């Protein structure tokens, strides 16, 4: 049996977000916007052994999400990037600790959401925390265990290599 690996799943999405974050911070071309300062949270790593310059270990999944930062107006922002080959996002792809992190930050006034790439559709969406919370609670009550792309309203456009995930964000808050 061949072992399935997910080591590079989502790397394309994360690179796109990283480039977008540079544009949100520095602007593009001659235009300087300074819309937000958003940074990737390093993946927690458990070191098992260090010998002669060789380090062995594995990535652990902490309670954090992929990105945190501050946007114009002083709002804190926290979000996680998800990628799926399906036409819906399985809620099982969201760790409970990530959900709790987003929930806590949201309750403290931060703007929290998911950025999701549905690779089969080649479409990007922002799932604001309220939508995520409703789907999460519905699943806990025995309802649907995924969020279909067809039900999402915040489609994200990609233009000039920038994923415009902040577009319309202020309308929600």
């Amino acid at each position: 049996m061949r072992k399935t690996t997910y080591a590079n799943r989502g790397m394309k999405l994360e690179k796109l977000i990283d480039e977008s974050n540079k544009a949100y911070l520095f602007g593009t071309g001659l235009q300087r916007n300074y819309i937000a300062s958003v940074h990737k949270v390093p993946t927690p790593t458990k070191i098992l052994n260090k010998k002669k310059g060789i380090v062995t270990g594995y990535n652990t999944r902490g309670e954090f999400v992929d990105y945190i930062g501050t946007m114009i107006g002083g709002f804190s922002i926290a979000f996680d990037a998800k990628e799926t080959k399906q036409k819906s996002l399985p809620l099982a792809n969201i760790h409970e600790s990530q959900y709790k992190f987003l929930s806590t930050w949201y309750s403290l006034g931060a703007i929290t959401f998911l950025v999701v790439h549905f690779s089969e559709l080649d479409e990007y969406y922002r799932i604001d925390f309220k939508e995520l919370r409703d789907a999460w609670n519905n699943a806990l009550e025995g309802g649907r265990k995924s969020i279909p792309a067809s039900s999402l309203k915040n489609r994200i456009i990609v233009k000039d290599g920038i994923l415009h995930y902040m577009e319309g964000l202020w309308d929600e808050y």
Side-chain angles (χ1 to χ4, degrees):
M1 179 185 258
R2 199 171 131 195
K3 185 178 177 184
T4 304
T5 179
Y6 298 106
N8 292 318
R9 182 177 59 179
M11 292 304 292
K12 178 183 171 187
L13 174 59
E14 288 188 7
K15 284 184 178 186
L16 188 56
I17 292 171
D18 291 342
E19 287 304 309
S20 302
N21 289 342
K22 287 179 192 173
Y24 282 134
L25 180 59
F26 299 115
T28 56
L30 298 175
Q31 186 178 7
R32 299 289 179 219
N33 292 337
Y34 305 113
I35 294 171
S37 178
V38 180
H39 302 277
K40 175 94 172 89
V41 175
T43 304
T45 304
K46 172 81 173 171
I47 304 297
L48 297 174
N49 199 353
K50 291 184 198 178
K51 285 187 181 176
K52 298 181 182 177
I54 298 173
V55 178
T56 57
Y58 61 91
N59 290 338
T60 61
R61 190 66 200 169
E63 64 181 45
F64 270 173
V65 292
D66 290 330
Y67 294 90
I68 59 173
T70 303
M71 57 189 275
I72 200 164
F75 290 99
S76 295
I77 184 171
F79 66 95
D80 204 71
K82 299 292 181 188
E83 186 160 10
T84 181
K85 292 181 179 178
Q86 301 173 33
K87 293 181 181 177
S88 62
L89 174 67
L91 292 173
N93 288 10
I94 303 162
H95 296 275
E96 185 177 358
S97 60
Q98 292 174 319
Y99 176 81
K100 287 180 179 177
F101 183 94
L102 292 171
S103 178
T104 300
W105 274 47
Y106 177 80
S107 68
L108 293 171
I111 297 173
T112 60
F113 54 92
L114 300 176
V115 170
V116 182
H117 179 221
F118 294 92
S119 59
E120 184 178 310
L121 304 170
D122 196 26
E123 294 178 353
Y124 299 86
Y125 288 89
R126 185 183 68 239
I127 302 175
D128 295 322
F129 182 75
K130 290 184 241 180
E131 284 180 281
L132 175 60
R133 181 186 59 206
D134 291 347
W136 191 272
N137 290 336
N138 185 47
L140 289 176
E141 294 171 2
R144 188 180 179 114
K145 307 282 189 251
S146 65
I147 303 172
S150 61
S151 74
L152 298 174
K153 60 181 179 182
N154 293 317
R155 185 156 180 206
I156 303 171
I157 62 164
V158 179
K159 184 178 175 190
D160 300 325
I162 305 298
L163 183 68
H164 294 270
Y165 67 84
M166 287 194 183
E167 196 124 331
L169 202 55
W170 292 271
D171 300 339
E172 302 287 324
Y173 296 89

